[in-house]
Amino acid sequence: PFSFSTSLSTGELKKLIKENKEVLKEKGISLAGAVEKSDLIAALDKAGIQPKVQGFEAIKYKSKLILQYVHNLEYTATFAPLADMGLELRSNNEWASVVQGPESVSRGSVVVAVNGKSVLLQTYTEAIQAMIDAKSSGEAFNITFRRAPWKTGTLWKAARQKSNKQKVSGLGWKKRYFVLAYGMLAYYDKKGGKLKGHYNLDSVTGHQTIVAPAPASVLAAADSAAIMIVKGSDRLIMKSSNAEELMDWAAMLYMAVAHTNGGNTEMYEAEMSRMRLQADREEYQEWMKNAAAKAEADRMQMYVDLAAAEAHAQALRDAEAAKTAEEAAAAESARATIELAEAEKVVSKRRASVSAASARESMLMAATAG
């Protein structure tokens, strides 16, 4: 029924091939040299394996691709401490959605984070408490919001239905200019023209708002593809001559319905992935901070160790110098002692010579006197 489809990414194609490895082997299909995306698709086609997603799964797949850029819908508003924020919020399946607010906050937005800390996966009460705590901190604080998905363009619309059993093929199609914004889909007779109707994307008690391919049972044979929004018996069916444009509308409406009603599995998983990345980033930044601090401490310790080593080396040099001086003094003392001994010997010899001379002189004088 949903005739158009969306090709898988190269990574998902490889995953599909891995899951069907035995089928490919049984059919003798080799993947040797299949490196291009077209080669992988050709191999899967040959094996009879659909390398695309179709129908409702195609809508979900396309919305997941759009989710990669959901940060483009986010913006941050700064609020003064202790002042009235001017926000009216309501809980949509635990998401804090903006009913109305100051000029800086778009109606239909949801609260994503308070002072950079995600609250999107917390309860409505916890998100409100985070805002109250930030407000009472005495400092200016930031709240990050995510705008409701929006899109504009021309589609063909079937007459509004209140029964799931009635075919629309005989009711005719009318060209309408659609505006998706603030959790509502409005349509006009032309761009800038008269409002012809609107569809509120909010689910109601007992009736969930659903975006899905229009089944063949409500389409004429000539109508190859269409999408519909259903809430209870209220049904709005749209089509386009451009399959890719219709797929874009289907994915954006699917996201808008989820946004308006507190998110879906794809959005929760995307936020968890972002939180893990943020945690990893913060952990890395903390590691870098600690590594830098350790490097600085190591550098300072190196200077301390270098100074200690220099002081030790100087002490050794001083000790060696002292030892050398002591040894030199000892050697000088020994030399002086030797020289003194030699001098005393010379003195003794001279004294002896003098004594001998005196004795001879005495003897001579005595002989002369006799």
Side-chain angles (χ1 to χ4, degrees):
F2 203 50
S3 63
F4 54 90
S5 57
T6 299
S7 297
L8 297 172
S9 67
T10 301
E12 289 167 327
L13 286 172
K14 290 180 178 179
K15 181 180 179 182
L16 187 61
I17 287 172
K18 186 177 181 180
E19 292 171 351
N20 291 274
K21 185 177 180 180
E22 293 302 320
V23 175
L24 294 168
K25 184 177 180 181
E26 288 174 5
K27 295 190 176 184
I29 299 173
S30 173
L31 293 173
V35 293
E36 298 294 334
K37 185 176 181 179
S38 58
D39 297 331
L40 301 177
I41 292 175
L44 289 169
D45 278 335
K46 190 175 180 181
I49 301 169
Q50 179 57 257
K52 299 181 179 181
V53 285
Q54 296 180 311
F56 182 65
E57 289 302 315
I59 296 176
K60 289 175 62 178
Y61 178 80
K62 184 71 173 182
S63 72
K64 287 177 71 174
L65 296 180
I66 297 174
L67 267 177
Q68 297 176 19
Y69 307 97
V70 73
H71 59 274
N72 291 332
L73 293 173
E74 296 178 357
Y75 61 98
T76 299
T78 301
F79 295 87
L82 307 177
D84 181 13
M85 291 185 286
L87 282 174
E88 181 183 343
L89 304 173
R90 69 173 178 177
S91 175
N92 277 338
N93 192 26
E94 300 298 342
W95 276 15
S97 299
V98 178
V99 178
Q100 60 181 340
E103 186 177 345
S104 60
V105 180
S106 173
R107 178 166 52 88
S109 298
V110 295
V111 177
V112 173
V114 178
N115 281 335
K117 183 178 180 181
S118 175
V119 296
L120 200 60
L121 299 182
Q122 296 183 1
T123 65
Y124 175 77
T125 301
E126 289 171 335
I128 295 298
Q129 188 59 53
M131 288 187 280
I132 292 173
D133 292 343
K135 178 182 175 180
S136 60
S137 68
E139 298 179 354
F141 61 98
N142 297 323
I143 298 179
T144 301
F145 299 90
R146 180 182 297 170
R147 288 186 180 87
W150 61 274
K151 185 174 174 62
T152 61
T154 301
L155 296 170
W156 291 89
K157 182 191 77 67
R160 190 79 167 262
Q161 299 295 307
K162 294 294 182 181
S163 170
N164 291 330
K165 297 181 179 180
Q166 188 176 7
K167 289 179 86 61
V168 301
S169 56
L171 298 179
W173 295 88
K174 293 182 179 180
K175 184 181 287 188
R176 293 288 182 253
Y177 185 79
F178 284 84
V179 176
L180 171 64
Y182 311 121
M184 183 179 295
L185 180 66
Y187 47 93
Y188 302 79
D189 58 355
K190 60 182 179 180
K191 184 176 181 179
K194 182 180 178 180
L195 177 66
K196 303 298 291 185
H198 68 274
Y199 200 107
N200 195 322
L201 302 182
D202 279 337
S203 295
V204 296
T205 303
H207 297 293
Q208 182 179 359
T209 305
I210 298 171
V211 177
S217 60
V218 300
L219 297 175
D223 298 324
S224 60
I227 57 175
M228 65 181 185
I229 309 175
V230 179
K231 181 165 50 180
S233 61
D234 190 6
R235 185 176 64 187
L236 179 62
I237 302 177
M238 298 154 288
K239 70 176 183 178
S240 172
S241 57
N242 186 313
E244 185 176 348
E245 175 68 6
L246 187 60
M247 172 64 84
D248 288 343
W249 268 103
M252 196 62 74
L253 283 167
Y254 179 80
M255 281 188 61
V257 168
H259 176 97
T260 304
N261 294 283
N264 59 16
T265 301
E266 292 83 12
M267 288 181 173
Y268 303 151
E269 289 177 349
E271 185 63 14
M272 284 189 286
S273 296
R274 181 163 69 167
M275 290 175 66
R276 282 195 293 269
L277 286 173
Q278 179 65 25
D280 290 343
R281 188 179 299 110
E282 290 175 355
E283 182 179 351
Y284 174 75
Q285 290 173 344
E286 183 66 20
W287 180 84
M288 287 294 291
K289 180 181 177 182
N290 292 337
K294 185 178 184 302
E296 179 63 16
D298 290 345
R299 187 172 70 87
M300 295 304 296
Q301 186 61 47
M302 180 185 69
Y303 289 142
V304 171
D305 292 345
L306 181 61
E310 181 61 29
H312 181 65
Q314 185 61 45
L316 290 176
R317 286 193 294 269
D318 292 344
E320 184 64 25
K323 180 180 179 182
T324 302
E326 184 179 346
E327 290 177 347
E332 180 63 24
S333 177
R335 186 179 64 79
T337 301
I338 293 172
E339 289 180 352
L340 180 60
E342 290 296 328
E344 287 178 347
K345 287 181 180 179
V346 172
V347 170
S348 295
K349 286 182 179 180
R350 289 181 177 177
R351 285 176 180 171
S353 297
V354 170
S355 296
S358 296
R360 284 196 300 272
E361 185 178 353
S362 296
M363 288 177 63
L364 181 59
M365 288 177 65
T368 302

